[in-house]
Amino acid sequence: MKMKKAQNRWQSALQNNYGTPSLALSHGKGSYVWDVEGKKYLDMLGGIATTVVGQAHPKVVAAVSKQMEQLSHVSNFYIHEPGLSLAEKLISFTGEKSARVFFCNSGAEANEAALKLSRLTDRTRIISTRSAFHGRTIGALSLTGQSAKQRPFRPLLKDVVFAEYGDIASMKRLISRKVAMVILEPIQGESGVVVPPAGYLKAVRELCDKYGVLLCIDAVQTGMGRTGSWFGYEYSGITPDIITLAKGLGGGLPLGAMIAVTSKAPAFKAGEHGSTFGGNPVSCASGLAAIEVIEKGSLLKKVVERGEFIKREVAELDGVTLVRGEGLLLGIVLDEAIAASVVAAAKEEGLLLNAPDKNVIRIAPALTLTQAEAKVFIKKFSASLLRAKSEARA
Ligand SMILES: Cc1ncc(COP(=O)(O)O)c(C=O)c1O
C-alpha cells in the first residue's frame, strides 16, 4: 500500500519523463536496497553505474559528513582542498601532467564542456556514432545517435554527423580537416553494452591524428573503475585529447568532469565556461573517498575477476546467447525479446536489473560486489529468466 501511495504522490508531483517508477526505495547498504514496504533487493544497476562503492559506504559517509561540517559550497570563486585533490588524482590517472580538469555536475554537462572546448579550434563539425548516448541537454543530445530521443527536440546543433560504431571505414568516410572532434564511448552503455572490435579505438586515434581532429572519450559510464581501469579506454593503448566523466566520479553524489588531456586540446580562458555547483567540496570529498576505497581494496583487479565469473556463469544459462562488456558493465543478450519481463520477474525475486533493449539486460552494480553477492545474482537471475520464459509461453 505504501508503494501505491508513493506512486500516486509521484504522479501528482513529478513530470512523467521517466514513466511512473515501479518501486519506491527507502534505504540501502552496500549492494542492497530496501523498498518502502521493507522488501530487500540486490541492486545490480547501482544507480545506473553510479554508486561505485555501494550505498552508505562508511568511508564515503564519514568524508561527506566531515566536509559538510567544514565547508559545504563556496562556488568556483574560491579554491578548496577536495576539488584540488580530486583534480590532481584524475590527472595522475591520465598519466599526462599537463592535463587540466573542469568540474561540472553531470555527464551531459561534461560533454557540453567538451563540445564548447572543441569550438575553440577553428572548426565546428563533430563526428559522433550511431546509437551513442552522450546526454539529454541540447548540445549533448545533438551528439546522441538515437533519432527517437532527438526527434521531438529538433532542430538540434548543425554540423554533427554520425559514423557506424565500431566501423573504421565509416569513420574514414566522414573524417576530414573540417572536423573539430570525434566523440566516442569505449563501450556503448545505454544502447545495450556494445563493445567495438579490437583495434577500433587505435584506428580512430590514428585517423584523428592524420586530420588534426580532437578525440574525446566519453567515459561517463565506463569510467571510475567500472570496466577494470579508471576510464575504460586504457586497454587500447591510446591517449585521448579529452575525457568526460560523471556517474561514479562523485561516489554517489552528482559530479562530472571534462579533462583536457593532451596539449592538442584547447584550454578555456577565464570567463569562457563555468558552473555554480560544479566540483563542489562535498561531491569532491565523496569522490575522493570512493577512489580511496577502490584503490585500497584493489577493486580494479576484483572488478575484472568478478565480471569474468559472472560472464562465465550467465553464458551457461538457457536463453542467454551472449554476455558482452567488460568488468562490471555487462550486457546479457537473450534469445527472445523478453528483457522487460525479465526485469519485472527479477523485481519479484528481489533483484534490480535494467533492460536497455528488448533482448538485452544490463548490469552495472557497485564495484564492491562480493563473490557471494555475485552468486546470489546468478541464482536470482536464473530464476527470473525461467519465470519470464514461462510467462512468455503462457
Ligand atoms: C556515456 C554517457 N554519456 C553521457 C551520459 C549522460 O550523463 P548524465 O545523465 O549524468 O547527464 C550518460 C548517461 O547515461 C552516458 O552513459
Side-chain angles (χ1 to χ4, degrees):
M1 191 52 210
K2 275 184 178 168
M3 193 77 71
K4 191 83 211 119
K5 199 168 167 205
Q7 286 170 323
N8 288 340
R9 284 176 59 203
W10 191 95
Q11 285 167 344
S12 309
L14 285 126
Q15 290 267 342
N16 194 37
N17 52 309
Y18 301 108
T20 307
S22 65
L23 281 180
L25 301 177
S26 66
H27 62 286
K29 184 78 194 143
S31 298
Y32 285 95
V33 290
W34 281 259
D35 72 21
V36 288
E37 293 178 355
K39 184 170 169 179
K40 183 180 174 185
Y41 302 83
L42 177 64
D43 179 9
M44 292 300 280
L45 186 57
I48 322 186
T50 292
T51 48
V52 277
V53 296
Q55 297 285 341
H57 193 289
K59 295 272 187 222
V60 174
V61 172
V64 166
S65 312
K66 186 169 165 234
Q67 190 57 49
M68 210 49 206
E69 279 174 3
Q70 201 172 318
L71 191 70
S72 59
H73 179 67
V74 291
S75 90
N76 287 294
F77 282 134
Y78 309 101
I79 297 170
H80 51 80
E81 187 55 42
L84 270 184
S85 299
L86 184 58
E88 287 165 356
K89 198 80 191 163
L90 293 177
I91 291 169
S92 76
F93 292 159
T94 69
E96 298 284 323
K97 280 205 178 99
S98 60
R100 292 292 181 268
V101 179
F102 165 77
F103 283 121
C104 49
N105 309 283
S106 68
E109 282 176 74
N111 288 329
E112 291 286 344
L115 195 54
K116 277 184 74 176
L117 202 71
S118 79
R119 287 284 170 100
L120 298 178
T121 63
D122 56 359
R123 307 173 183 183
T124 54
R125 187 165 303 162
I126 305 287
I127 303 180
S128 181
T129 53
R130 294 207 186 282
S131 303
F133 187 82
H134 296 298
R136 306 272 195 166
T137 53
I138 290 289
L141 184 62
S142 302
L143 309 176
T144 289
Q146 303 182 32
S147 42
K149 292 193 172 71
Q150 289 189 335
R151 199 169 298 118
F153 305 103
R154 285 180 182 146
L156 296 171
L157 287 187
K158 284 190 221 144
D159 223 8
V160 180
V161 292
F162 294 90
E164 292 300 330
Y165 186 68
D167 178 348
I168 198 66
S170 165
M171 185 68 71
K172 241 183 218 160
R173 281 195 292 277
L174 294 175
I175 204 160
S176 72
R177 295 203 171 272
K178 289 198 173 129
V179 176
M181 179 173 83
V182 168
I183 183 164
L184 277 181
E185 297 161 84
I187 294 175
Q188 285 190 334
E190 291 300 299
S191 68
V193 192
V194 179
V195 184
Y200 177 65
L201 292 185
K202 200 153 184 281
V204 174
R205 174 74 272 184
E206 283 164 12
L207 277 181
C208 288
D209 288 343
K210 183 170 171 195
Y211 291 94
V213 172
L214 297 172
L215 175 58
C216 174
I217 290 291
D218 177 344
V220 167
Q221 188 152 155
T222 55
M224 301 322 291
R226 176 135 310 276
T227 61
S229 61
W230 285 110
F231 304 121
Y233 66 79
E234 291 90 329
Y235 73 92
S236 68
I238 66 156
T239 302
D241 301 305
I242 301 171
I243 300 169
T244 53
L245 290 171
K247 291 199 184 278
L249 177 60
L253 290 187
L255 185 61
M258 186 277 297
I259 314 174
V261 181
T262 65
S263 55
K264 283 180 237 153
F268 285 133
K269 289 196 212 55
E272 280 184 338
H273 198 45
S275 161
T276 300
F277 266 114
N280 88 88
V282 181
S283 295
C284 289
S286 175
L288 278 167
I291 288 173
E292 197 182 324
V293 172
I294 295 171
E295 287 186 318
K296 289 210 169 132
S298 305
L299 292 189
L300 295 187
K301 189 165 151 263
K302 288 187 185 147
V303 159
V304 175
E305 289 166 6
R306 212 70 84 223
E308 288 303 319
F309 171 74
I310 293 175
K311 255 187 185 174
R312 261 196 322 274
E313 295 288 315
V314 172
E316 293 294 310
L317 299 177
D318 241 9
V320 172
T321 52
L322 175 72
V323 188
R324 59 195 184 202
E326 292 298 330
L328 287 174
L329 178 60
L330 298 177
I332 304 168
V333 184
L334 308 175
D335 63 1
E336 290 180 86
I338 55 165
S341 338
V342 174
V343 172
K347 200 182 88 181
E348 298 304 310
E349 297 285 337
L351 174 66
L352 299 188
L353 300 173
N354 157 260
D357 209 344
K358 288 191 184 79
N359 65 332
V360 183
I361 298 290
R362 170 177 50 176
I363 63 163
L367 309 184
T368 45
L369 189 85
T370 64
Q371 182 67 3
E373 287 164 348
K375 287 183 178 163
V376 171
F377 161 67
I378 288 152
K379 203 163 157 223
K380 285 181 184 290
F381 179 73
S382 159
S384 315
L385 191 54
L386 268 179
R387 204 195 261 235
K389 281 209 168 264
S390 65
E391 272 165 21
R393 304 282 160 275

